[in-house]
Amino acid sequence: MEISMHPQTFSLLFFLIFSTLASSKACHPVDKEALLDFKHKITDDPSKLLHSWRVSSDCCTSWEGVACDASGRVVNVSRPGLASDNDFIEDTYMSGTLSPYLGNLSSLQVLDLSNLKDLKGPIPEELGKLSKLTHLFLDTNKLTGSIPFTLRYLSQLEKMYLSDNFISGIVPPSVMKSWTHVSELGLSGNAMSGPIPPTIGKVVMITKLDLHGNNFTGRIPTGFGNLKNLRYLDLSENQITGSIPQSIGGLAALELLYLNQNQLTGRIPSSISGLSSMIFCRISENKLSGSLPPSIGQLSKIQRLILENNKLTGKLPATIGHLTALTDIFFSNNYFTGKIPSSFGNLLNLQTLDLSRNRLSGQLPPQLAKLKSLQTLYLSYNPLGLVRIPNWFQELRVFQLMLANTGIEGELPHWLSSSSISQLDLSGNALTGKLPWWIGNITSLSFLNLSNNGFHSSIPVEFKNLSLLMDLDLHSNKFSGHLNVIFSKEVQDPLGHFNSIDLSYNMFTGPIDDDIGERPAMSSISSLVLSHNTLGGSLPKSIGKMRELQVLKLVNTGLSGMIPEELGDAKELSTILLSRNKLTGAIPEIVLNLKELKQFDVSSNRLRGRIPPHKAIIPASAFKNNPGLCGTPLPPCKHF
């Protein structure tokens, strides 16, 4: 979970402090004129936030959100209406632009117009005249243009947030260099570009820097190593290239580091050991390569380490076992090789271990059985050659166990029957035999994937007991028998209603029950895939009652009869695949004109009649091998 801080608490604090100061003089006329011009440029104020700003009243004593010093000069303009009498935070907004006259508030220390949502236009250059300004909050609006060069004159600035606007252009290096007192700077969620100015190394007081969600390019400046007070650094979701500089090891105070979703290359520097205060590190979704430096084992305070989706290689350092504060390891989708170090058994606080989609091999260390806090274990898509799931797994209390494509053979281990697993993925292995009756004892299951194995049996009646199951994937096995036991599964409202079912490429028989759409377990299903089974029978009308159904695939299932018009009642359908069946009659116009329809295929059936006019772009191949069909996109009709 990413941590974010918001400046509203500061502005509210300043407002409360200054509002208690008794003003010995009336509001200065220059300040009053500036604020009235700001109000004049607000085109819509539905919550009447500026209702108290009247020409006839004193801006120091009567205007909400305005505070003055003893000489009658305005020192604080904070978003008025932030808190109501009952302490409920109001969600308000204003439309309009920022008045250049705000630059005349020569004593202003705090300007907080954040989260008004609809302030547009540029940041006025005149704000550079506010030489006493310490706090500038304009975030969460619709401001455009670039950061004015004149903001270099805000030499007293301590905190500035311009996040979540439409600001573009570069960060002027001269501006960055002048902010020697800035402790917090938020420019995230804009459209800023160009490199991060090397002058960032001059902002030595900074504790928080958030530039994420822009279009910054170039390398990470080596000057970052000078920022000895920096505790929070977020450069994620940009287009930053090059390697992580060795100088990053100088950030001994850094607690949170986000570099994810960039284009970083090269190795993770061994100097990372210098980040002795690090709690959260996310460098995922880059192109980092090479092996993990053993010095990573010196990050004694690290709790979450997220390096997934890179090109990291080599063995996992045994020194990771020293990081006993770790709660989460996400290393998936890299090229790690060798065995999982037995030292991982020392990570007694570990809750998530995700090593999936790597090239790990060899025996799993039994020391992992000591991880009593482990809730999620992802080892899928590694050439582990497990053959059997080790018996010590039953000593774990995991809720999510993902062992797809890990070389498991034989039958399901009986100890699973007494487990509290919620999500189980054993797909892509060589499991065989019957689906055991005790599958119904794993009543906490919400997700079950046994696809691409060699199971051969009907579904045991005890399956109905899986009252929390919402996602089921059994495709590509040799299951047989009727589907009714699945569709009539019990539920525990509001849980246990299917979200997705994939039973394709098996030997199930039909027909599909007429009342499938009325079964409680099927009431909110979004994807139903039954292709390549010998179901026969007709397409039930009650499928139209599945109001959240988006994907329906019944290819090569022996269906006969007509496509029911009631199918058009499932308004969310985007994919309907009914090819290679024995369907007859015409295509209902209401079905072909479903608003969300993107993919439709009824080829190789016995349909007849004119293809109804439709807006969806459907190729001719979706209608081919139906000798009685005609009309666009097939040849014109002659007999209709």
Tab-separated table of all heavy atoms in Angstrom, residues 390-420:
chain	number	residue	atom	x	y	z
A	390	PRO	N	5.365	-30.457	-0.831
A	390	PRO	CA	5.953	-30.941	0.429
A	390	PRO	C	4.931	-30.963	1.569
A	390	PRO	O	4.110	-30.056	1.699
A	390	PRO	CB	7.064	-29.925	0.709
A	390	PRO	CG	7.397	-29.339	-0.632
A	390	PRO	CD	6.118	-29.319	-1.397
A	391	ASN	N	5.008	-31.994	2.402
A	391	ASN	CA	4.060	-32.128	3.510
A	391	ASN	C	4.168	-30.990	4.515
A	391	ASN	O	3.190	-30.674	5.205
A	391	ASN	CB	4.265	-33.477	4.222
A	391	ASN	CG	3.625	-34.624	3.449
A	391	ASN	OD1	2.645	-34.428	2.733
A	391	ASN	ND2	4.184	-35.819	3.594
A	392	TRP	N	5.360	-30.384	4.611
A	392	TRP	CA	5.489	-29.295	5.587
A	392	TRP	C	4.651	-28.075	5.206
A	392	TRP	O	4.471	-27.163	6.019
A	392	TRP	CB	6.956	-28.921	5.811
A	392	TRP	CG	7.762	-28.558	4.590
A	392	TRP	CD1	8.638	-29.368	3.942
A	392	TRP	CD2	7.788	-27.306	3.894
A	392	TRP	NE1	9.208	-28.706	2.876
A	392	TRP	CE2	8.708	-27.429	2.833
A	392	TRP	CE3	7.132	-26.099	4.066
A	392	TRP	CZ2	8.973	-26.393	1.949
A	392	TRP	CZ3	7.399	-25.040	3.187
A	392	TRP	CH2	8.311	-25.197	2.132
A	393	PHE	N	4.110	-28.050	3.978
A	393	PHE	CA	3.217	-26.955	3.593
A	393	PHE	C	2.001	-26.870	4.521
A	393	PHE	O	1.449	-25.800	4.733
A	393	PHE	CB	2.745	-27.134	2.141
A	393	PHE	CG	3.594	-26.413	1.133
A	393	PHE	CD1	4.959	-26.585	1.104
A	393	PHE	CD2	3.019	-25.566	0.202
A	393	PHE	CE1	5.745	-25.926	0.168
A	393	PHE	CE2	3.793	-24.892	-0.745
A	393	PHE	CZ	5.168	-25.082	-0.759
A	394	GLN	N	1.598	-28.016	5.062
A	394	GLN	CA	0.414	-28.000	5.923
A	394	GLN	C	0.685	-27.287	7.242
A	394	GLN	O	-0.258	-26.944	7.969
A	394	GLN	CB	-0.080	-29.417	6.179
A	394	GLN	CG	0.902	-30.348	6.853
A	394	GLN	CD	0.399	-31.788	6.844
A	394	GLN	OE1	-0.703	-32.075	7.297
A	394	GLN	NE2	1.207	-32.704	6.310
A	395	GLU	N	1.961	-27.040	7.557
A	395	GLU	CA	2.295	-26.260	8.754
A	395	GLU	C	2.102	-24.764	8.526
A	395	GLU	O	2.047	-23.990	9.488
A	395	GLU	CB	3.740	-26.549	9.176
A	395	GLU	CG	4.000	-28.006	9.524
A	395	GLU	CD	5.456	-28.252	9.872
A	395	GLU	OE1	6.065	-27.351	10.487
A	395	GLU	OE2	5.980	-29.346	9.528
A	396	LEU	N	2.040	-24.362	7.271
A	396	LEU	CA	1.799	-22.960	6.947
A	396	LEU	C	0.319	-22.645	7.113
A	396	LEU	O	-0.531	-23.538	7.108
A	396	LEU	CB	2.237	-22.658	5.506
A	396	LEU	CG	3.712	-22.899	5.180
A	396	LEU	CD1	3.938	-22.729	3.673
A	396	LEU	CD2	4.594	-21.925	5.954
A	397	ARG	N	0.028	-21.371	7.238
A	397	ARG	CA	-1.375	-20.941	7.354
A	397	ARG	C	-1.729	-20.006	6.199
A	397	ARG	O	-2.414	-19.008	6.397
A	397	ARG	CB	-1.588	-20.235	8.690
A	397	ARG	CG	-1.218	-21.082	9.907
A	397	ARG	CD	-1.670	-20.413	11.199
A	397	ARG	NE	-1.150	-21.099	12.380
A	397	ARG	CZ	-0.080	-20.701	13.077
A	397	ARG	NH1	0.565	-19.616	12.693
A	397	ARG	NH2	0.320	-21.362	14.136
A	398	VAL	N	-1.241	-20.335	5.024
A	398	VAL	CA	-1.426	-19.430	3.886
A	398	VAL	C	-2.884	-19.406	3.432
A	398	VAL	O	-3.596	-20.420	3.493
A	398	VAL	CB	-0.516	-19.808	2.696
A	398	VAL	CG1	0.938	-19.563	3.044
A	398	VAL	CG2	-0.744	-21.231	2.273
A	399	PHE	N	-3.311	-18.219	2.995
A	399	PHE	CA	-4.633	-18.050	2.398
A	399	PHE	C	-4.553	-18.165	0.875
A	399	PHE	O	-5.515	-18.565	0.231
A	399	PHE	CB	-5.225	-16.691	2.783
A	399	PHE	CG	-5.424	-16.529	4.262
A	399	PHE	CD1	-4.875	-15.460	4.935
A	399	PHE	CD2	-6.161	-17.458	4.984
A	399	PHE	CE1	-5.055	-15.306	6.304
A	399	PHE	CE2	-6.353	-17.311	6.352
A	399	PHE	CZ	-5.796	-16.230	7.010
A	400	GLN	N	-3.396	-17.789	0.311
A	400	GLN	CA	-3.210	-17.840	-1.138
A	400	GLN	C	-2.001	-18.719	-1.440
A	400	GLN	O	-0.886	-18.411	-1.017
A	400	GLN	CB	-2.985	-16.433	-1.704
A	400	GLN	CG	-4.173	-15.501	-1.506
A	400	GLN	CD	-3.858	-14.091	-1.988
A	400	GLN	OE1	-2.915	-13.448	-1.545
A	400	GLN	NE2	-4.657	-13.608	-2.926
A	401	LEU	N	-2.237	-19.795	-2.171
A	401	LEU	CA	-1.161	-20.716	-2.538
A	401	LEU	C	-1.185	-20.903	-4.048
A	401	LEU	O	-2.112	-21.491	-4.604
A	401	LEU	CB	-1.345	-22.060	-1.827
A	401	LEU	CG	-0.299	-23.144	-2.133
A	401	LEU	CD1	1.096	-22.667	-1.754
A	401	LEU	CD2	-0.646	-24.439	-1.420
A	402	MET	N	-0.162	-20.390	-4.719
A	402	MET	CA	-0.088	-20.421	-6.172
A	402	MET	C	1.137	-21.237	-6.599
A	402	MET	O	2.276	-20.803	-6.402
A	402	MET	CB	0.002	-19.003	-6.735
A	402	MET	CG	-1.123	-18.091	-6.271
A	402	MET	SD	-2.748	-18.646	-6.806
A	402	MET	CE	-3.787	-17.314	-6.220
A	403	LEU	N	0.884	-22.447	-7.148
A	403	LEU	CA	1.958	-23.358	-7.547
A	403	LEU	C	1.762	-23.827	-8.982
A	403	LEU	O	2.055	-24.979	-9.319
A	403	LEU	CB	1.990	-24.565	-6.603
A	403	LEU	CG	2.304	-24.284	-5.127
A	403	LEU	CD1	2.151	-25.546	-4.294
A	403	LEU	CD2	3.709	-23.710	-4.965
A	404	ALA	N	1.274	-22.951	-9.853
A	404	ALA	CA	1.064	-23.310	-11.258
A	404	ALA	C	2.401	-23.585	-11.938
A	404	ALA	O	3.395	-22.904	-11.684
A	404	ALA	CB	0.327	-22.176	-11.978
A	405	ASN	N	2.407	-24.613	-12.801
A	405	ASN	CA	3.596	-24.935	-13.604
A	405	ASN	C	4.853	-25.103	-12.753
A	405	ASN	O	5.900	-24.498	-13.025
A	405	ASN	CB	3.822	-23.857	-14.675
A	405	ASN	CG	2.883	-24.008	-15.846
A	405	ASN	OD1	1.716	-23.619	-15.745
A	405	ASN	ND2	3.359	-24.560	-16.948
A	406	THR	N	4.753	-25.904	-11.736
A	406	THR	CA	5.917	-26.164	-10.885
A	406	THR	C	6.276	-27.651	-10.850
A	406	THR	O	7.056	-28.075	-10.008
A	406	THR	CB	5.654	-25.668	-9.445
A	406	THR	OG1	4.419	-26.211	-8.978
A	406	THR	CG2	5.596	-24.147	-9.386
A	407	GLY	N	5.694	-28.446	-11.754
A	407	GLY	CA	6.092	-29.850	-11.885
A	407	GLY	C	5.451	-30.795	-10.901
A	407	GLY	O	5.992	-31.877	-10.635
A	408	ILE	N	4.285	-30.446	-10.372
A	408	ILE	CA	3.600	-31.318	-9.413
A	408	ILE	C	2.933	-32.478	-10.163
A	408	ILE	O	2.318	-32.284	-11.206
A	408	ILE	CB	2.545	-30.528	-8.611
A	408	ILE	CG1	3.207	-29.346	-7.893
A	408	ILE	CG2	1.845	-31.416	-7.595
A	408	ILE	CD1	2.228	-28.385	-7.270
A	409	GLU	N	3.031	-33.684	-9.619
A	409	GLU	CA	2.441	-34.878	-10.223
A	409	GLU	C	1.526	-35.584	-9.225
A	409	GLU	O	1.491	-35.266	-8.035
A	409	GLU	CB	3.549	-35.842	-10.676
A	409	GLU	CG	4.520	-35.241	-11.677
A	409	GLU	CD	5.676	-36.178	-11.977
A	409	GLU	OE1	5.690	-37.318	-11.443
A	409	GLU	OE2	6.582	-35.777	-12.727
A	410	GLY	N	0.770	-36.564	-9.721
A	410	GLY	CA	-0.035	-37.407	-8.842
A	410	GLY	C	-1.353	-36.776	-8.442
A	410	GLY	O	-1.900	-35.929	-9.153
A	411	GLU	N	-1.856	-37.204	-7.300
A	411	GLU	CA	-3.161	-36.759	-6.837
A	411	GLU	C	-3.024	-35.590	-5.866
A	411	GLU	O	-1.944	-35.317	-5.338
A	411	GLU	CB	-3.897	-37.921	-6.164
A	411	GLU	CG	-4.154	-39.086	-7.114
A	411	GLU	CD	-4.962	-40.193	-6.458
A	411	GLU	OE1	-5.153	-40.135	-5.225
A	411	GLU	OE2	-5.405	-41.105	-7.183
A	412	LEU	N	-4.154	-34.920	-5.641
A	412	LEU	CA	-4.151	-33.817	-4.687
A	412	LEU	C	-3.830	-34.343	-3.297
A	412	LEU	O	-4.386	-35.360	-2.873
A	412	LEU	CB	-5.527	-33.132	-4.656
A	412	LEU	CG	-5.904	-32.248	-5.839
A	412	LEU	CD1	-7.330	-31.724	-5.654
A	412	LEU	CD2	-4.942	-31.072	-5.978
A	413	PRO	N	-2.930	-33.671	-2.554
A	413	PRO	CA	-2.605	-34.142	-1.203
A	413	PRO	C	-3.784	-33.955	-0.248
A	413	PRO	O	-4.429	-32.904	-0.245
A	413	PRO	CB	-1.414	-33.267	-0.806
A	413	PRO	CG	-1.523	-32.044	-1.657
A	413	PRO	CD	-2.136	-32.483	-2.944
A	414	HIS	N	-4.041	-34.965	0.565
A	414	HIS	CA	-5.218	-34.978	1.423
A	414	HIS	C	-5.196	-33.871	2.473
A	414	HIS	O	-6.248	-33.412	2.932
A	414	HIS	CB	-5.357	-36.348	2.099
A	414	HIS	CG	-6.690	-36.538	2.762
A	414	HIS	ND1	-6.949	-36.100	4.045
A	414	HIS	CD2	-7.838	-37.111	2.317
A	414	HIS	CE1	-8.201	-36.392	4.369
A	414	HIS	NE2	-8.766	-37.010	3.338
A	415	TRP	N	-3.996	-33.402	2.847
A	415	TRP	CA	-3.938	-32.379	3.896
A	415	TRP	C	-4.618	-31.088	3.479
A	415	TRP	O	-4.989	-30.251	4.325
A	415	TRP	CB	-2.501	-32.125	4.345
A	415	TRP	CG	-1.542	-31.659	3.283
A	415	TRP	CD1	-0.633	-32.425	2.626
A	415	TRP	CD2	-1.376	-30.325	2.783
A	415	TRP	NE1	0.086	-31.663	1.729
A	415	TRP	CE2	-0.345	-30.373	1.813
A	415	TRP	CE3	-1.980	-29.104	3.054
A	415	TRP	CZ2	0.076	-29.237	1.116
A	415	TRP	CZ3	-1.564	-27.960	2.363
A	415	TRP	CH2	-0.551	-28.031	1.405
A	416	LEU	N	-4.826	-30.889	2.165
A	416	LEU	CA	-5.541	-29.696	1.710
A	416	LEU	C	-6.960	-29.642	2.285
A	416	LEU	O	-7.527	-28.565	2.477
A	416	LEU	CB	-5.619	-29.675	0.176
A	416	LEU	CG	-4.360	-29.242	-0.586
A	416	LEU	CD1	-4.554	-29.474	-2.081
A	416	LEU	CD2	-4.041	-27.772	-0.312
A	417	SER	N	-7.528	-30.797	2.591
A	417	SER	CA	-8.918	-30.856	3.049
A	417	SER	C	-9.123	-30.137	4.373
A	417	SER	O	-10.233	-29.706	4.684
A	417	SER	CB	-9.375	-32.311	3.176
A	417	SER	OG	-8.638	-32.968	4.186
A	418	SER	N	-8.055	-30.017	5.162
A	418	SER	CA	-8.179	-29.345	6.458
A	418	SER	C	-7.508	-27.977	6.463
A	418	SER	O	-7.269	-27.399	7.521
A	418	SER	CB	-7.564	-30.223	7.559
A	418	SER	OG	-6.209	-30.533	7.256
A	419	SER	N	-7.205	-27.460	5.287
A	419	SER	CA	-6.538	-26.153	5.196
A	419	SER	C	-7.559	-25.027	5.164
A	419	SER	O	-8.753	-25.250	4.966
A	419	SER	CB	-5.661	-26.094	3.941
A	419	SER	OG	-6.469	-25.996	2.778
A	420	SER	N	-7.072	-23.823	5.374
A	420	SER	CA	-7.934	-22.635	5.316
A	420	SER	C	-7.607	-21.793	4.084
A	420	SER	O	-7.778	-20.571	4.092
A	420	SER	CB	-7.755	-21.800	6.584
A	420	SER	OG	-6.385	-21.449	6.772
